[in-house]
Amino acid sequence: MLDVARRFFDLPFQERARYMSADIRAPVRYGTSFNQLNDGVLCWRDFLKLVCCDDLAAVVPSWPDAPTDLREVVSAYARSSRRLFRELMEAALEALGIRSGGAAEMLADCDAGSQMLMVNCFPACPEPDLTLGMPPHSDYGFLTVLLQDQVNGLEVRHADTWVLVDPLPGSLVVNIGDHFEMYSNGRYKSLLHRVRVNSARPRISVASLHGLPPERVIGPAPELVDDEKNPRMYMDTDFATFLDHLSSAEGKHKSFLQTRRLITN
Ligand code: OGA
Ligand code: NI
């Protein structure tokens, strides 16, 4: 997967530029920074975003046809990542004590859920201290499965400092997203992370972002809320509210999760 990603970013710009789009909702989109049309400060990053869905066969023909093995390799990776998401959610629901009906309903939603692959390339940067590959953010959905090459860059926020996530060969990093924090009523915490760049080597990563179907309203699981010890901590939310947030002034200063909080402590 990392190899085909590297070969995609090595293609001549003209070839990659065929997938550039101003529409942030386009299912296949190549670009720079987060959204090069809107971002005040650009990030040192190129990306290929591929929206996957439960019917992969329907979307794969719209993916880049070069390198020639991209569709085959990336769709196999997307399927494996989806299976892993399901297994992790099964384990997490059990750990949260959500059983029978509630768990079955969630897992069915996970199976029909949304998936997006973000294939990232952070080129070597002559002035690495003046920029970031990605600014601090948390991921939007439930879980992100991240594959990174052997080049340092990913940092997570822990105890008020940035901690490097050592790339271990053959390992995946799993991040909790905003929706899982809301669903678990704060038991799982969505994690702030960022990417630093370096002057020596480019870095490649592939983030597979998993969530529930976009029309699904997300809120704390009823099993985890009660009037005494576990008051509801988040408002219900949906995808349209998130898109509104992104395009609003608030979206530039506050994380989406902050805007959904009922209780702050
Ligand atoms: C992302 C992300 C981290 C990385 O794509 O959301 O946080 O290491 N990527 O590339
Ligand atoms: Ni992220």
Side-chain angles (χ1 to χ4, degrees):
M1 175 70 233
L2 289 171
D3 180 61
V4 78
R6 199 170 290 119
R7 283 183 284 119
F8 173 81
F9 291 110
D10 279 344
L11 291 172
F13 179 70
Q14 290 309 328
E15 185 69 31
R16 285 175 279 149
R18 286 164 55 208
Y19 302 98
M20 285 182 115
S21 162
D23 178 5
I24 57 164
R25 295 187 208 205
V28 179
R29 194 164 160 254
Y30 171 73
T32 296
S33 196
F34 262 105
N35 180 1
Q36 71 272 29
L37 301 172
N38 269 349
D39 291 357
V41 179
L42 296 181
C43 306
W44 204 262
R45 161 190 187 233
D46 285 349
F47 66 85
L48 175 67
K49 178 185 108 173
L50 300 170
V51 171
C52 309
C53 59
D54 49 344
D55 184 10
L56 252 192
V59 291
V60 169
S62 67
W63 290 2
D65 51 9
T68 48
D69 56 343
L70 183 140
R71 291 180 184 174
E72 190 189 326
V73 172
V74 178
S75 55
Y77 182 79
R79 280 198 186 88
S80 309
S81 179
R82 216 180 163 84
R83 276 200 301 275
L84 177 61
F85 168 59
R86 204 257 191 210
E87 282 182 32
L88 292 169
M89 287 303 298
E90 270 180 54
L93 290 170
E94 193 182 322
L96 287 169
I98 297 177
R99 284 182 231 289
S100 58
E105 193 187 320
M106 264 300 280
L107 291 172
D109 275 344
C110 290
D111 289 340
S114 66
Q115 180 182 9
M116 184 172 87
L117 282 185
M118 263 302 178
V119 187
N120 298 303
C121 174
F122 305 96
C125 173
E127 296 274 10
D129 294 332
L130 298 183
T131 187
L132 284 169
M134 273 187 149
H137 68 280
S138 57
D139 295 339
Y140 170 69
F142 267 72
L143 292 179
T144 302
V145 176
L146 181 84
L147 173 68
Q148 50 174 346
D149 67 9
Q150 295 306 296
V151 181
N152 287 348
L154 177 63
E155 293 181 339
V156 295
R157 193 76 183 161
H158 177 71
D160 289 335
T161 54
W162 289 106
V163 179
L164 177 76
V165 180
D166 271 329
L168 299 176
S171 71
L172 296 163
V173 175
V174 178
N175 271 340
I176 305 280
D178 292 351
H179 280 175
F180 205 4
E181 178 165 338
M182 292 183 219
Y183 174 79
S184 70
N185 203 35
R187 297 223 204 150
Y188 284 111
K189 301 279 183 232
S190 105
L191 187 74
L192 210 58
H193 54 284
R194 69 177 189 180
V195 178
R196 301 203 46 186
V197 287
N198 70 83
S199 58
R201 292 167 67 190
R203 174 171 180 274
I204 302 273
S205 69
V206 182
S208 184
L209 295 101
H210 297 268
L212 303 191
E215 65 279 6
R216 170 82 141 76
V217 173
I218 311 284
E223 293 91 333
L224 301 180
V225 176
D226 58 64
D227 288 340
E228 284 133 43
K229 285 205 181 115
N230 299 294
R232 180 188 243 271
M233 291 181 68
Y234 300 94
M235 293 177 248
D236 284 349
T237 188
D238 61 14
F239 193 53
T241 316
F242 176 64
L243 291 179
D244 287 348
H245 170 80
L246 278 189
S247 52
S248 71
E250 212 177 27
K252 296 201 174 33
H253 307 291
K254 264 182 156 180
S255 76
F256 182 60
L257 192 63
Q258 274 174 300
T259 68
R260 310 315 295 160
R261 230 169 232 147
L262 290 167
I263 298 170
T264 43
N265 49 18

